[in-house]
Amino acid sequence: MRHFMTQSYQILSKVFQDGQYSTFLFNRDEIPDMTTKIVYGVLEENVRLDKIIRSLTEKKPKNSICILLKIGIYCLLNLDNVPDYAIVSECVEAAKMNGKATSAGFINAVLKKVASGEFKEEDSLSYRYSKPEWFISILINQYGKEKTEEILSEKSDFRVHIRPNLKKTTLDDIKKNLDKLKIAYEETDVHGLAVNYEDSIKKLFNKGLITIQTPSSMKAVQVLNPENGKLILDLCSAPGGKAVYMSEICPDSKITACDLYEHRLNLINSYIKRMQATHISVKQEDGTKFNYSFMNKYDYVLVDAPCSCSGTYRKNPDIFIMKDLSDTSEITSTQKAILANAINYVKKGGVIVYSTCSVFDEENHKVVEEFLKSGKAELKEELSILPHGVYDGFYIARMVKL
């Protein structure tokens, strides 16, 4: 147990203190299941754990001590198969191993209070669902209290969503392959599969037979519904999943995939290479700046705008640690600028789709509502996806240029 706690502390320190995302850390290394459970458990329970620590301490401990306390408290409240005394003892020893011997007595005392139930529980949605007060407030203002509780009660689903590389295989062939390997899967309504990410899935991924793409992301392309042979622009493309997907369903189309920074262009090129995609040109573009050569050129334009990513919190619980999402004014300003610019690139009668992985109206409906006042486009379809199952929270608006 001590090894798992020490490993969890090292990972969580990189998240809380160094600002690294847990998904990057887990993708880079092989992590034992118990460590994974503790790390994601602490990240998901972070708000509640902070409240418990505050109820037991006169002042907030140093960040490094807080991390160790959160690991110990999480294990005490969630690991039924490990005795409380063992969790307390092992967490204290993990503290000593990580250079926190002087705080060992303090950690021991706090954890013993938790083990004996001497901590204050709050009667609030923030405590119950372990989400920031401001996040709860935004959701209630948008959806009402009852719907907010329904949204927050959706459990995290850490399965990955895969789809076939349509240039190489089919969904039925992938399903047959998984059946032979006795790998359980759930078929989704976007023609993909929800599966646990294990070695056999990794091998199919590395061969380029499948890719990992969320159903919400796939839905944005399906709502765009590009016609084969037409010109398509993916204006905010990185990491490139939507552009590659479009290249498979529209093999005769020429697709331009753009993004602002070179490292993001590298992500697109890597995606294209692994999937052996064709007819995609990658260009460095600032979506807020007008490019005359794009003027009235494209039949279809996809604007998957930079956003708060608030709809991905179940798979990325550390977004509440990394970002203060309570003020979206800077993000929405950029979103409005990109959308106002992108309409110039669509032919008359052409289609433009605006999408985000946010659940905030400020980034979604209100951005589109303001844009439509320009009279340059007509709304044809609007889709708000709330987080559920393997679906991230997502917003998609399909418009036609007038």
Side-chain angles (χ1 to χ4, degrees):
M1 192 67 199
R2 190 180 312 167
H3 168 72
F4 300 130
M5 287 182 167
T6 295
Q7 195 175 38
S8 298
Y9 172 76
Q10 292 167 350
I11 294 171
L12 287 167
S13 292
K14 292 177 181 177
V15 175
F16 284 102
Q17 298 185 143
D18 300 338
Q20 296 188 43
Y21 279 97
S22 57
T23 48
F24 168 75
L25 298 170
F26 276 95
N27 288 339
R28 188 179 60 182
D29 300 315
E30 290 293 331
I31 308 295
D33 290 342
M34 178 57 77
T35 301
T36 301
K37 179 181 177 70
I38 294 171
V39 170
Y40 275 118
V42 168
L43 292 174
E44 287 189 301
E45 299 288 322
N46 183 56
V47 172
R48 184 185 293 119
L49 295 172
D50 265 334
K51 290 175 181 288
I52 291 173
I53 290 171
R54 282 202 299 269
S55 75
L56 294 171
T57 57
E58 292 183 5
K59 62 179 182 179
K60 186 176 181 180
K62 291 181 180 179
N63 207 358
S64 58
I65 305 305
C66 269
I67 294 169
L68 287 161
L69 286 174
K70 287 175 182 179
I71 290 170
I73 296 170
Y74 172 79
C75 291
L76 285 169
L77 299 180
N78 293 278
L79 301 186
D80 297 330
N81 59 336
V82 184
D84 287 353
Y85 72 85
I87 291 173
V88 174
S89 174
E90 292 298 289
C91 193
V92 168
E93 292 304 313
K96 293 176 181 177
M97 290 176 62
N98 286 278
K100 308 300 173 187
T102 56
S103 300
F106 172 75
I107 292 170
N108 181 69
V110 173
L111 293 183
K112 281 186 174 179
K113 287 182 180 180
V114 175
S116 59
E118 299 176 42
F119 61 92
K120 183 181 178 181
E121 294 194 84
E122 290 185 10
D123 182 21
S124 68
L125 293 182
S126 176
Y127 182 86
R128 192 184 314 162
Y129 295 107
S130 195
K131 298 293 180 291
E133 299 279 1
W134 60 261
F135 183 65
I136 303 286
S137 178
I138 290 174
L139 293 185
I140 289 175
N141 286 337
Q142 287 184 198
Y143 304 108
K145 186 175 180 182
E146 184 178 344
K147 188 65 177 179
T148 293
E149 288 205 59
E150 182 183 325
I151 294 168
L152 296 175
S153 63
E154 280 284 336
K155 300 297 183 184
S156 295
D157 188 340
F158 290 108
R159 293 177 297 173
V160 296
H161 185 267
I162 62 172
R163 68 166 183 83
N165 181 344
L166 299 174
K167 289 173 64 69
K168 294 184 174 183
T169 187
T170 65
L171 184 62
D172 284 341
D173 285 340
I174 295 298
K175 287 163 60 177
K176 289 174 185 176
N177 196 336
L178 298 184
D179 287 337
K180 286 180 183 178
L181 296 169
K182 297 184 178 178
I183 295 175
Y185 58 83
E186 176 190 345
E187 188 166 355
T188 62
D189 61 352
V190 291
H191 309 297
L193 305 171
V195 297
N196 290 321
Y197 193 47
E198 53 185 79
D199 286 342
S200 298
I201 299 300
K202 292 178 185 178
K203 289 177 182 177
L204 292 173
F205 178 88
N206 291 333
K207 290 178 181 177
L209 291 173
I210 63 167
T211 194
I212 297 171
Q213 188 168 17
T214 68
S216 300
S217 172
M218 292 177 64
K219 184 76 79 173
V221 173
Q222 292 173 5
V223 170
L224 182 68
N225 194 25
E227 182 183 342
N228 188 26
K230 300 294 185 178
L231 291 177
I232 305 170
L233 174 64
D234 185 1
L235 192 55
C236 308
S237 187
K242 297 179 184 68
V244 169
Y245 184 30
M246 288 188 286
S247 76
E248 293 171 25
I249 60 179
C250 297
D252 300 319
S253 289
K254 291 183 178 179
I255 299 167
T256 303
C258 301
D259 222 291
L260 180 55
Y261 299 109
E262 187 174 349
H263 74 275
R264 295 180 66 79
L265 300 178
N266 291 338
L267 292 175
I268 301 171
N269 282 316
S270 294
Y271 206 128
I272 290 170
K273 182 178 179 180
R274 183 178 60 81
M275 296 290 282
Q276 296 181 13
T278 55
H279 306 300
I280 302 176
S281 60
V282 179
K283 294 187 177 182
Q284 189 167 13
E285 288 289 333
D286 182 343
T288 66
K289 301 291 192 285
F290 178 66
N291 181 336
Y292 184 79
S293 67
F294 285 179
M295 182 72 173
N296 297 322
K297 179 177 180 179
Y298 295 96
D299 302 286
Y300 297 89
V301 172
L302 175 61
V303 178
D304 188 46
C307 70
S308 66
C309 302
S310 59
T312 70
Y313 66 86
R314 291 184 310 141
K315 283 188 172 65
N316 303 294
D318 40 8
I319 65 167
F320 295 122
I321 300 166
M322 302 300 177
K323 301 178 180 180
D324 179 5
L325 309 182
S326 58
D327 182 6
T328 61
S329 57
E330 185 176 343
I331 297 173
T332 55
S333 177
T334 300
Q335 291 164 341
K336 291 172 183 178
I338 293 173
L339 188 54
N341 187 42
I343 193 65
N344 295 310
Y345 304 153
V346 188
K347 296 177 181 178
K348 185 176 181 180
V351 176
I352 182 169
V353 159
Y354 172 83
S355 66
T356 76
C357 55
S358 172
V359 291
F360 298 155
D361 273 351
E362 291 294 331
E363 300 179 75
N364 298 335
H365 174 76
K366 290 185 178 180
V367 169
V368 169
E369 184 179 48
E370 182 174 320
F371 166 70
L372 291 172
K373 291 178 182 178
S374 69
K376 295 180 180 180
E378 180 181 4
L379 181 65
K380 292 297 183 180
E381 182 178 358
E382 191 175 30
L383 180 63
S384 293
I385 303 171
L386 294 175
H388 69 281
V390 291
Y391 272 91
D392 292 328
F394 219 83
Y395 173 83
I396 308 166
R398 187 179 201 266
M399 297 164 279
V400 172
K401 184 172 180 178
L402 297 175

